[in-house]
Each structure stands twice: as structure tokens, then as C-alpha cells.
Amino acid sequence: MALTRFVEQLRRLGPLSEAEEQALRSLPGRYVDVPANLDFSESISSSSERILVLVEGLLASCYDTEEGERQLTALHVPGDLCDLNSLVLASKPMCLTALAPSRVYAVARGAFTDAMQRHPGLIGILWRYSSSRVLILNERVVSLGSRDARQSLCHLFCELAVRQGFSSGGVTTTYALPIKQHQLGSALGITYVHVNRTLRALREEGLVHFQHQIVTIPNWDRLTRQAGFDPGYLTGYLQ
Amino acid sequence: MALTRFVEQLRRLGPLSEAEEQALRSLPGRYVDVPANLDFSESISSSSERILVLVEGLLASCYDTEEGERQLTALHVPGDLCDLNSLVLASKPMCLTALAPSRVYAVARGAFTDAMQRHPGLIGILWRYSSSRVLILNERVVSLGSRDARQSLCHLFCELAVRQGFSSGGVTTTYALPIKQHQLGSALGITYVHVNRTLRALREEGLVHFQHQIVTIPNWDRLTRQAGFDPGYLTGYLQ
DNA sequence: CGACCGTTTGAATCACCTCAAGAGCGGTGG
DNA sequence: CCACCGCTCTTGAGGTGATTCAAACGGTCG
């Protein structure tokens, strides 16, 4: 149950043998509930030797600047493995924060590496997963560097829809996104005031509605066109 | 010779056995010279089954938006492995571009994977390398999202100094950086006009000089303080 | 020499920010 | 039950960092 969505994500990236899938599903771990607005640094999670898979809620990797600003560098939706980098490298100033009340499945690091040794194919698969997350990060760089607030917002709504499997061509797309406008701003590098104004404009144009933490996309094609969104970077097809 | 600096980078990230280092150094490949401003899409380089290590010059990963803007998502300095992601995942819209006349060492993909199979320890090492690049990418996200032009520029000069091993505490730091102001802008998400004005301001303040493609940092500590630069994310110490 | 590329600078404009204040709303306590 | 608090959303007015358009300057190369 805990890792179902995670396994689904991996399967989208490439073939997964029966044995490999079984090895993943049977990874021992425990559920941890996290209240909203709790920060838990990755270093803490790695010192307790845990790999975290988000089951429910919304997490973010974040980075606090000296000026007191907080930049969210990645959003994690259910099924995401949150701190894969900490498996091989200790990253000092990065931390995880819960944007909404969340539940994670914590796997001991040893169990994880054991599974990889017994099933070497998993290494390649997880590497591929890691690469797919890099592509998402790349896209965030493009948003922050080259898109205005309007496009960034549209793009993010598209990305999260696809990542959660909610995108659909013809009909209205709707999904829950338990995030505050303030946090949206921290992710997109703009102030919450400007997030608010931009959301209103998008709502008035009928491009996308975000209210009460629910995203409604009346016309998927129109939004993706506005956002310059190309889902190719998410599907991560094999060569 | 070709891979000396690359091996040095890897050794900074963790232990490297004699055999592993030897396996890397003896990777067969050929030198390719690339003129400035040439784009070669990663898909091309992967279809010809090549892994690229930069020997000399300056490359960038880039992404062209529909509006015709170009966002540079990563800079590659000599010793960098440029397209590690394409080893496991085909990324469609991304491409490599030469910012200056460059020389790369191209290794056949098969030779690379063979070496990894004969020396499984290399997998972890390369994974660690990949993670270290992600940390750099994270830092770029912070720059684009939370730092102004001034800080971004300072931060980039610091980062490139450390990545090339040119940073030094007390004395003046100097290194060549074959990049145009126009390309700096593409990397930092600002216009070349604003790059120019900001560089002038930094020069007048004596924080950092960038002229004729040479970076001069009179006072390393002062610059890192201004930039909010913490080299921790580059050293990537082991846990 | 003219053509070209990159740099430099000015003036006007725009996207976004800062400061500030009010409104809605659920939670808590008297 | 109402008063009060804190949190989030909302909106206004003014300011600033960065952009756009435009033009001039300097070096390099054929």
C-alpha cells in the first residue's frame, strides 16, 4: 500500500521485473505523520538512516537564505521519494518542510541498500528516477529564469497535474493542491502578493482556477499553450 | 591526460580505489573540438552513444523557450561530465552548447557501462557525482528565485572559482572565464544590458572585476559574504 | 577601409516589490 | 455565546529592479 504510487512512478520510467517490484513493495518501514509547517532537515532524516517516500500531503525541499527568505527548490507529491540525494551525499543547508499535514513512509537506509544489492537492476531504475527529478528541476530553472509569474504559475499547475496523473485532454481537469499562496510564491520566486494578483488574473481569464486549495483547469490545451508546457520532460521515455 | 581533472573531481567526492581510477583513466575515447556557439543536442550525442567530458573551454546545458529566449541551466567547466542524465534517460528539449571554443573527450557509451560492470563501485561514485551536480542545480534555483542580479553574479563567480579549484582565502583570486555578458545573462535570467550595468557596479565597488573574460576577486571573503556563498554544497563530503 | 560582434550607456517603460490596511474565517477562551 | 486572536487572502498606492528600445563605442577580421 505504502509504496504503490512510488512503484507506479518507477514503472512509468522503464521496465520493472516482478522480483524488483516485489523487493520494493516489501521494503520494511514505518509511517510517520508530519504536521503542517514542520521542518525536518535532511541531515536529521539521514542520520536516523531513513529514506522517505511521501504517502499523503505535500512536502517541499527548501533552502533558507541569509536574508531570511525561503526558496522552495522542489515540491514532492504522494508517491515521490523525497531525499534520494541524501542517500549518497550529505547536503548541508537543504531541508524538507511539510507544506500541508502529511504522511511519509520511512525506510531504513540499510534495508534500501540491501534491496539494491540483491537486485542490482534497481540501481539503474533508481538512477533513472533520480534523473527524472533532475529534469523537473531543470524545468524549474527555466521557469525562474525565463518565464514571468503568469507562465510560471500555469506551468506549475500543469506539471503537478501530470505528475499526479490527473491530466486529461478534453474534459475539465481538477485536483487538490494543499498549498498556500505564500508557499507558491516561495517556490516560484515571487511574493505572495503578486501570486494573489496573478491568480486572480488567471481566474478572470478562465485559464485556471485555484481556490480553497483546489486547482481547476477548464481547458487543458489552452493552459499548456499559455504555459509553454511540454510534458515530454516528465514521461522520461527510454532511449 | 584527458580525464585527469574529471578523476580529481570524483576523488573530492569520496574514496576511489586504485583499480577504479585506472579503469576510468583508460576509458577509450576520442577528442572532439567544438567551435564557439555550436549547439549539439544531447540526443545527438546519445544516439552516437557518447559520454562527453569537457577537457577545455566552456559548455552549457540549455533550453530554448517558445518565445525564443534561451535559458542556460548549467555551466560545464573542464573536468565536468556533461550529460550524465542522457546515460539513463532521454531528455528531449535539452541541448548542449559551446560558449567558447572547446575540446571534449567523447567516450563510447558501451565502454562506460562496461567499466561500471567490471567495477561496480564506480556506480556509487558516479551516482554521487550526479548528486553533486544536483546540488549545484539547486543553488542555481536559489539564485534565480531569491537573489538579485548583484548577488547572483557574485555567487556564480564564487561557484566557478571553487569548482575549478581557484579559490584562495587571503590573496587575490584570478581565473579565466570565457563567457560573454550576453551568455551570463542567459544563465542568470537577466538581460545582457543589466548584466553589464551590474558588472560595472561590482567593479566600482571593488568586489569583483570581470573584464576581457578574466575574473579577478580582490577579497574572497568579502565577495562570498556579499554573495551569500557557502562552499559546502560543492565539497560534498561523505556522510 | 567597412562589416561585424560585443560592450557600454541613456531614457522610458514594465513587472514585480514593499508597505499598509482591511476582510474572511476557524479556533480558543472567558 | 460572543470577543478576540492568528492566519490567509485580498486590494490599494507608491517605489524599485530590471527590461526595452536605441544609439554609440571599441576591437577584430577580411
Side-chain angles (χ1 to χ4, degrees):
Chain A
M1 317 289 101
L3 300 177
T4 302
R5 305 178 86 164
F6 176 54
V7 170
E8 277 170 18
Q9 274 198 62
L10 292 182
R11 207 156 30 200
R12 241 178 281 156
L13 295 177
L16 197 62
S17 80
E18 191 72 33
E20 287 160 353
E21 177 167 339
Q22 206 42 50
L24 285 173
R25 282 188 187 282
S26 59
L27 278 173
R30 64 186 177 92
Y31 289 100
V32 181
D33 285 308
V34 186
N37 301 315
L38 180 69
D39 289 9
F40 41 116
S41 91
E42 284 194 37
S43 56
I44 288 176
S45 76
S46 69
S47 73
S48 65
E49 307 243 306
R50 299 201 174 275
I51 304 293
L52 304 179
V53 175
L54 182 59
V55 177
E56 210 183 305
L58 188 66
L59 302 185
S61 297
C62 69
Y63 184 104
D64 293 308
T65 64
E66 297 164 351
E67 283 81 12
E69 271 191 85
R70 163 162 288 194
Q71 176 69 40
L72 305 186
T73 57
L75 298 183
H76 307 289
V77 297
D80 281 356
L81 204 170
C82 301
D83 54 355
L84 194 49
N85 281 340
S86 73
L87 187 65
V88 289
L89 212 59
S91 53
K92 237 186 316 191
M94 211 64 65
C95 82
L96 281 176
T97 183
L99 303 184
S102 302
R103 163 170 287 193
V104 301
Y105 188 70
V107 179
R109 204 153 155 270
F112 206 80
T113 50
D114 281 355
M116 287 199 289
Q117 276 176 351
R118 273 181 286 115
H119 303 271
L122 285 179
I123 297 174
I125 291 175
L126 287 167
W127 197 343
R128 206 173 303 154
Y129 179 72
S130 167
S131 286
S132 78
R133 301 306 296 263
V134 172
L135 295 189
I136 294 175
L137 201 53
N138 269 318
E139 205 60 40
R140 174 115 324 139
V141 168
V142 175
S143 264
L144 290 164
S146 299
R147 296 195 253 257
D148 59 14
R150 206 190 141 71
Q151 280 190 310
S152 294
L153 231 16
C154 291
H155 198 278
L156 185 65
F157 289 138
C158 290
E159 177 190 310
L160 291 174
V162 172
R163 279 170 62 185
Q164 297 186 273
F166 294 143
S167 66
S168 48
V171 300
T172 299
T173 302
T174 300
Y175 64 96
L177 180 61
I179 195 174
K180 313 286 184 193
Q181 293 186 2
H182 162 254
Q183 298 161 334
L184 269 179
S186 299
L188 300 177
I190 55 186
T191 60
Y192 66 94
V193 175
H194 196 55
V195 169
N196 183 286
R197 288 193 239 265
T198 309
L199 283 176
R200 176 158 59 85
L202 291 173
R203 202 182 310 136
E204 285 168 358
E205 292 176 69
L207 267 173
V208 55
H209 295 247
F210 179 62
Q211 265 170 331
H212 311 301
Q213 308 203 325
I214 294 191
V215 179
T216 308
I217 304 172
N219 186 328
W220 176 256
D221 291 336
R222 208 153 76 84
L223 186 64
T224 53
R225 221 175 304 122
Q226 271 287 329
F229 179 78
D230 172 15
Y233 73 100
L234 288 172
T235 60
Y237 56 94
L238 280 166
Q239 309 185 43
Chain B
M1 314 293 101
L3 300 178
T4 302
R5 303 177 87 165
F6 175 54
V7 170
E8 278 171 17
Q9 274 198 61
L10 292 182
R11 207 159 25 201
R12 244 178 280 157
L13 295 176
L16 197 61
S17 80
E18 191 72 34
E20 287 161 352
E21 177 167 341
Q22 205 44 50
L24 285 172
R25 283 189 187 280
S26 58
L27 279 173
R30 64 185 177 93
Y31 289 100
V32 181
D33 285 308
V34 187
N37 300 316
L38 180 68
D39 289 10
F40 42 115
S41 92
E42 284 193 36
S43 56
I44 288 177
S45 75
S46 68
S47 73
S48 65
E49 306 243 307
R50 298 199 174 279
I51 304 293
L52 304 178
V53 174
L54 182 59
V55 177
E56 210 182 305
L58 187 66
L59 302 185
S61 298
C62 69
Y63 184 105
D64 292 309
T65 65
E66 296 163 353
E67 284 80 13
E69 272 191 85
R70 163 162 289 194
Q71 176 70 40
L72 305 186
T73 58
L75 299 183
H76 307 289
V77 296
D80 282 355
L81 205 170
C82 301
D83 53 356
L84 195 48
N85 282 340
S86 73
L87 187 65
V88 288
L89 211 59
S91 54
K92 237 186 316 194
M94 212 62 67
C95 82
L96 281 175
T97 183
L99 303 184
S102 302
R103 162 169 288 192
V104 301
Y105 187 70
V107 180
R109 203 153 156 272
F112 206 81
T113 49
D114 281 357
M116 287 199 289
Q117 277 175 350
R118 272 180 289 115
H119 302 272
L122 285 179
I123 297 175
I125 290 175
L126 287 167
W127 197 344
R128 204 173 307 157
Y129 179 71
S130 167
S131 286
S132 77
R133 300 307 295 262
V134 172
L135 295 189
I136 294 175
L137 201 52
N138 269 318
E139 204 62 38
R140 175 116 323 138
V141 168
V142 175
S143 264
L144 290 164
S146 300
R147 296 195 253 257
D148 59 13
R150 205 191 142 70
Q151 278 191 311
S152 294
L153 232 15
C154 291
H155 198 277
L156 185 65
F157 290 137
C158 289
E159 176 190 312
L160 291 174
V162 172
R163 279 170 62 185
Q164 297 185 274
F166 295 143
S167 66
S168 47
V171 300
T172 299
T173 303
T174 299
Y175 64 98
L177 180 61
I179 196 173
K180 313 286 183 193
Q181 294 186 2
H182 161 255
Q183 299 162 334
L184 269 178
S186 299
L188 300 178
I190 54 186
T191 59
Y192 66 93
V193 175
H194 196 56
V195 168
N196 183 286
R197 288 194 240 266
T198 308
L199 283 176
R200 175 160 58 85
L202 291 173
R203 202 182 310 136
E204 285 168 359
E205 294 177 67
L207 267 174
V208 55
H209 294 247
F210 178 63
Q211 266 171 330
H212 312 300
Q213 307 202 325
I214 293 189
V215 179
T216 308
I217 303 172
N219 186 329
W220 177 256
D221 291 336
R222 208 153 75 86
L223 186 65
T224 54
R225 222 175 304 126
Q226 271 287 329
F229 179 79
D230 172 15
Y233 74 100
L234 288 172
T235 60
Y237 55 92
L238 280 166
Q239 307 186 42

